[in-house]
Amino acid sequence: MKILGIESSCDETAASVVEDGFRLLSNVVQSQIDIHAHYGGVVPEIAARSHIEAINPVIDKALADADCTWGDIDAIAVTYAPGLIGSLLVGVLAARTLALLHNKPLYPVHHVEAHVYANFITDQKVPLALALPSKQPAFPMLALIVSGGHSQLVLFRDHGDYELLGQTQDDAVGEAFDKVAKIIGLPYPGGPSIAGAAERGDTHRYDFPKAKLKNAYDFSFSGLKTAVLRAVQREVGKDHTFPSHELPGLLTASQRDNFAASFQQTAVETLVERTTKAFHDFSPQSVVIAGGVAANRELRRQLAESLPIPIEYAPMQLCTDNAAMIATLGYFMAEKLPLTDPYELEVIPSLSMTKTAWSK
Ligand code: KG4
Ligand code: ZN
């Protein structure tokens, strides 16, 4: 069964064809990072307009790369929640139109849940050459989902059957990477730039606090971000009245690298400690990490070191936003879910993955 996935929830326009929920036939991602980097973050109106320009060529290329015509496609899966409303609308309207035009079943996919399904892609068509996991994760599966908008620990008993163990009470960890990058003067998106600077920095130069919360699986990253801001102000001899956008200009390159390394160390340790605790409390068969921050090498290294079972990771290209994860989850939904009426499918900008029609 071949599923066409369509993703446009934020600043990546993406389409992909995945066969039987594990074989990647094409993976087209058109990123708008260069456009938004100019503004230091995603500008919703510009994102929506860029999706409109990109969506048809991106879908055409996904079909061509997969050597597919519409006759070969069995169903369409599209991100309908959560995300920027204007961005979501472009992908959903394209998917609804194509489902009607080509008479294909349509499956509405939750973006955050789909991130987890990047870990289910274990095979690919030549010339794709991604470093894929050797097998699909077994249930029960513990998932650490860490992106620009979400930080949560979820226990999956089966496809569509999961329990939210904990989540962030304020900023998502990716958001903290992005905000700290801004404070110390590193380019958007902050995750990769902090990871790069951290390689040159001293992880123990600054000691940042870790939030202690009532629920042992919850997260909080806003205090960490503020602690970095205060430490930067102290380091350059300024107080809170000094304009924060002028702070980076006063930091030396090595101070900046040390801030990046010390911040990353605290954020990663927090994620690893919570995940390891959940592992010991629930004894899952497998652990996966998902979302943009799952591309972080230090997180991968420290998690592998602290878990008593081997862990496999999805390739970096499938951790950040893509449509292969949408098509893969679409396959498992197609096996179990009733059909969605293309005329009825609406976007939902804010929706927990535990509140979808599919989740139990
Ligand atoms: O999943 P994603 O592509 O988009 C959302 O659904 O949010 O995640 C984007 C987030 C951004 O905050 C970005 O800074 C972060 O993932 N990110 C990273 C790395 N690569 C991307 N964070 C830490 N280390 C990385 N290597
Ligand atoms: Zn995402």
Side-chain angles (χ1 to χ4, degrees):
M1 187 174 193
K2 292 191 179 100
I3 310 243
L4 171 71
I6 299 176
E7 154 66 35
S8 72
S9 65
C10 190
D11 59 344
E12 260 95 28
T13 320
S16 161
V17 180
V18 174
E19 187 173 16
D20 296 337
F22 76 99
R23 188 176 303 113
L24 186 63
L25 301 185
S26 65
N27 181 36
V28 182
V29 181
Q30 183 156 323
S31 174
Q32 306 171 7
I33 281 181
D34 293 348
I35 307 172
H36 299 291
H38 186 67
Y39 303 96
V42 178
V43 184
E45 286 75 12
I46 297 178
R49 229 175 302 149
S50 307
H51 283 304
I52 291 172
E53 286 168 15
I55 192 88
N56 285 337
V58 163
I59 292 171
D60 286 347
K61 182 158 168 39
L63 290 173
D65 287 359
D67 291 323
C68 283
T69 63
W70 276 105
D72 302 316
I73 299 296
D74 296 291
I76 301 174
V78 64
T79 306
Y80 77 115
L84 299 168
I85 185 163
S87 292
L88 285 168
L89 273 169
V90 178
V92 165
L93 283 175
R96 286 171 52 175
T97 311
L98 291 166
L100 286 167
L101 193 66
H102 299 288
N103 198 22
K104 306 289 176 191
L106 178 62
Y107 295 98
V109 170
H110 191 281
H111 177 89
V112 180
E113 182 182 0
H115 267 299
V116 173
Y117 281 77
N119 292 284
F120 283 75
I121 300 171
T122 55
D123 194 11
Q124 60 198 323
K125 176 177 169 289
V126 179
L128 292 168
L130 301 176
L132 298 172
S134 63
K135 58 179 188 313
Q136 291 190 328
F139 294 108
M141 165 183 80
L142 177 66
L144 172 69
I145 309 176
V146 277
S147 72
H150 296 83
S151 304
Q152 43 191 236
L153 269 168
V154 184
L155 187 65
F156 281 69
R157 288 185 199 85
D158 198 350
H159 300 293
D161 181 3
Y162 42 75
E163 179 188 347
L164 182 63
L165 301 179
Q167 61 186 330
T168 185
Q169 300 300 297
D170 39 60
D171 291 353
V173 63
E175 194 178 348
F177 270 87
D178 294 336
K179 287 179 177 170
V180 166
K182 215 166 192 172
I183 292 169
I184 61 178
L186 291 169
Y188 171 87
S193 22
I194 289 207
E199 279 177 26
R200 299 180 296 267
D202 174 359
T203 47
H204 300 296
R205 178 66 188 78
Y206 304 98
D207 200 12
F208 295 127
K210 284 185 208 151
K212 288 208 171 54
L213 301 159
K214 240 196 268 159
N215 174 355
Y217 316 118
D218 276 346
F219 303 99
S220 162
F221 291 103
S222 120
L224 172 58
K225 168 204 66 192
T226 309
V228 175
L229 175 63
R230 297 285 172 256
V232 171
Q233 288 166 337
R234 258 196 315 279
E235 190 77 20
V236 299
K238 301 287 177 190
D239 67 13
H240 66 279
T241 58
F242 186 76
S244 55
H245 66 271
E246 290 180 25
L247 287 171
L250 304 179
L251 287 175
T252 64
S254 82
Q255 282 173 324
R256 199 188 54 208
D257 294 346
N258 292 338
F259 275 117
S262 302
F263 159 76
Q264 177 176 270
Q265 178 66 16
T266 310
V268 165
E269 274 179 8
T270 305
L271 296 173
V272 171
E273 282 168 15
R274 305 276 201 281
T275 310
T276 309
K277 172 158 177 46
F279 177 85
H280 289 297
D281 291 350
F282 295 95
S283 309
Q285 290 291 309
S286 64
V287 178
V288 299
I289 57 174
V293 182
N296 188 279
R297 281 181 211 283
E298 194 51 28
L299 172 61
R300 290 169 173 234
R301 193 187 66 74
Q302 292 193 26
L303 192 61
E305 219 173 69
S306 58
L307 286 175
I309 56 165
I311 178 165
E312 290 197 278
Y313 296 116
M316 307 282 182
Q317 298 91 325
L318 299 182
C319 287
T320 46
D321 286 351
N322 65 84
M325 64 187 197
I326 309 296
T328 305
L329 174 52
Y331 170 79
F332 293 103
M333 294 175 85
E335 284 191 327
K336 288 190 182 178
L337 208 65
L339 290 183
T340 299
D341 180 350
Y343 286 107
E344 298 287 321
L345 180 61
E346 305 273 358
V347 305
I348 309 182
S350 177
L351 177 74
S352 163
M353 63 185 261
T354 55
K355 302 264 159 56
T356 63
W358 150 253
S359 57
K360 275 198 251 176

